[in-house]
Amino acid sequence: MTSGYGRFALARAGQAAVVVLLAYVLTFLVTSVLPGDAISNSLRDPQSGLSEADIQRIVAYYGLDQPVPVQLALSLGRFLTGELGLSLQSSLPVARIVGDALPSTLALAASALALALVFAVAIAYGAHYAPRRWAGLLRSVPSFFLSVPNFVIGLVLIEFFAFRLHSFTTTDPNSATATVFAAITLAIPVSAPLAEVLIAGLDHESRQEYALVARSRGLAEAQLFARHLVKPSALPSVAMIALLVGELLGGSVITETIFGRDGIGTVVQKAVTGEDQPVLQAVVSLSAVVFVAVNLAADLLTPLLDPRVNVTEAANA
């Protein structure tokens, strides 16, 4: 198991590295090469206030006077060493801009994921063990959550809890209370697919022979749920959480805009408005790295949670 798992982990890590490199190359081509010389066009904007010497220095830094393969090699080399370039708007290092905004977004995304897990487990447990009338209602909740747009949830929460109940203030969007409501806004749609997967898993596992035997021995339903049903039912949710990382990242941008939070969403909004290509490329590339890393973690965790997974076959897949 140890050697087989090691080969499996190395294979998955290699695949993840290839995906990250391909994602960066594609991002470079889309944001830098295909639309034209976006950086030079931005620099030569009269409103930039840069002299010709400043422009030539930045052009040389990005290699815009070199062939495309050279530009890509320079850009990829800087990315691998953590050098993300300079902002065209503020002339600050992109790594500093992203680094200052990242903690707020990570706090929001982590809080939203934790709440989504709580919502999903509560819905799945109620759908499985509540009285029939309520169970049927709870089974329809995930579909309702998916049908409501993220920005509508945020606006409703702001109107009701901020303007009417004064539970938090929109003038301090980064406060703990405001962060909780922003996390709820993001957690509601994210919890829906998790709840559906958990409900399906509980339905399947509760009909298995080991569950019937446990019931025949007098084990209470709550104990059966906690001891025997949660772990196998939650296995598909591990892969689902990895897939939902993209929704968390995209939803964070929208949620931050609605609540006026300072985070990656604000950085992206300013980069798009100001055509700040280095910042936009860095955010997209780092998002790809996070998505791939989380999916890699899910792949590596699955065999540890489920011994039925054949890591040897998975490594050769």
Side-chain angles (χ1 to χ4, degrees), residues 34-168:
L34 294 183
D37 193 348
I39 296 179
S40 291
N41 292 339
S42 299
L43 294 177
R44 296 186 185 281
D45 188 330
Q47 297 181 355
S48 66
L50 296 175
S51 66
E52 185 63 28
D54 294 331
I55 294 175
Q56 292 300 324
R57 184 169 61 254
I58 296 176
V59 167
Y61 173 81
Y62 284 107
L64 298 177
D65 53 349
Q66 302 292 328
V68 172
V70 176
Q71 294 182 38
L72 177 58
L74 291 173
S75 179
L76 185 58
R78 289 195 299 266
F79 178 73
L80 293 176
T81 59
E83 174 58 49
L84 303 179
L86 298 174
S87 168
L88 301 181
Q89 289 182 303
S90 62
S91 298
L92 294 174
V94 175
R96 176 181 171 183
I97 295 174
V98 175
D100 290 342
L102 193 58
S104 176
T105 300
L106 289 179
L108 174 60
S111 301
L113 180 58
L115 288 175
L117 290 173
V118 173
F119 293 163
V121 172
I123 293 171
Y125 184 87
H128 196 71
Y129 292 109
R132 183 177 297 273
R133 184 180 68 175
W134 293 108
L137 180 62
L138 286 171
R139 287 177 181 269
S140 64
V141 168
S143 297
F144 173 72
F145 280 179
L146 285 174
S147 66
V148 183
N150 180 276
F151 69 90
V152 172
I153 299 173
L155 293 176
V156 170
L157 291 179
I158 291 174
E159 170 66 24
F160 190 76
F161 288 99
F163 296 155
R164 298 191 180 185
L165 297 181
H166 305 289
S167 299
F168 68 98

Side-chain angles (χ1 to χ4, degrees), residues 153-310:
I153 299 173
L155 293 176
V156 170
L157 291 179
I158 291 174
E159 170 66 24
F160 190 76
F161 288 99
F163 296 155
R164 298 191 180 185
L165 297 181
H166 305 289
S167 299
F168 68 98
T169 173
T170 55
T171 59
D172 188 13
N174 294 312
S175 66
T177 306
T179 299
V180 170
F181 283 100
I184 293 174
T185 300
L186 185 55
I188 287 176
V190 171
S191 67
L194 287 175
E196 290 179 338
V197 169
L198 283 173
I199 290 172
L202 285 173
D203 289 343
H204 174 74
E205 295 298 330
S206 63
R207 293 191 294 266
Q208 299 304 305
E209 184 175 352
Y210 73 88
L212 299 176
V213 171
R215 289 193 185 95
S216 67
R217 293 179 177 177
L219 190 66
E221 289 293 338
Q223 292 178 317
L224 175 64
F225 175 82
R227 294 182 184 179
H228 302 291
L229 297 183
V230 169
K231 183 177 178 179
S233 300
L235 286 174
S237 300
V238 175
M240 180 60 68
I241 290 174
L243 294 175
L244 289 173
V245 169
E247 184 172 347
L248 278 171
L249 295 174
S252 296
V253 174
I254 299 174
T255 303
E256 287 174 346
T257 302
I258 295 172
F259 282 81
R261 293 173 58 86
D262 295 326
I264 295 297
T266 304
V267 172
V268 171
Q269 184 182 18
K270 291 181 178 179
V272 172
T273 304
E275 299 182 356
D276 200 340
Q277 182 266 338
V279 174
L280 188 60
Q281 181 176 333
V283 172
V284 173
S285 301
L286 291 176
S287 298
V289 171
V290 172
F291 184 82
V292 171
V294 173
N295 278 270
L296 173 62
D299 283 344
L300 298 181
L301 185 61
T302 299
L304 300 179
L305 296 177
D306 189 358
R308 294 172 296 182
V309 175
N310 191 323

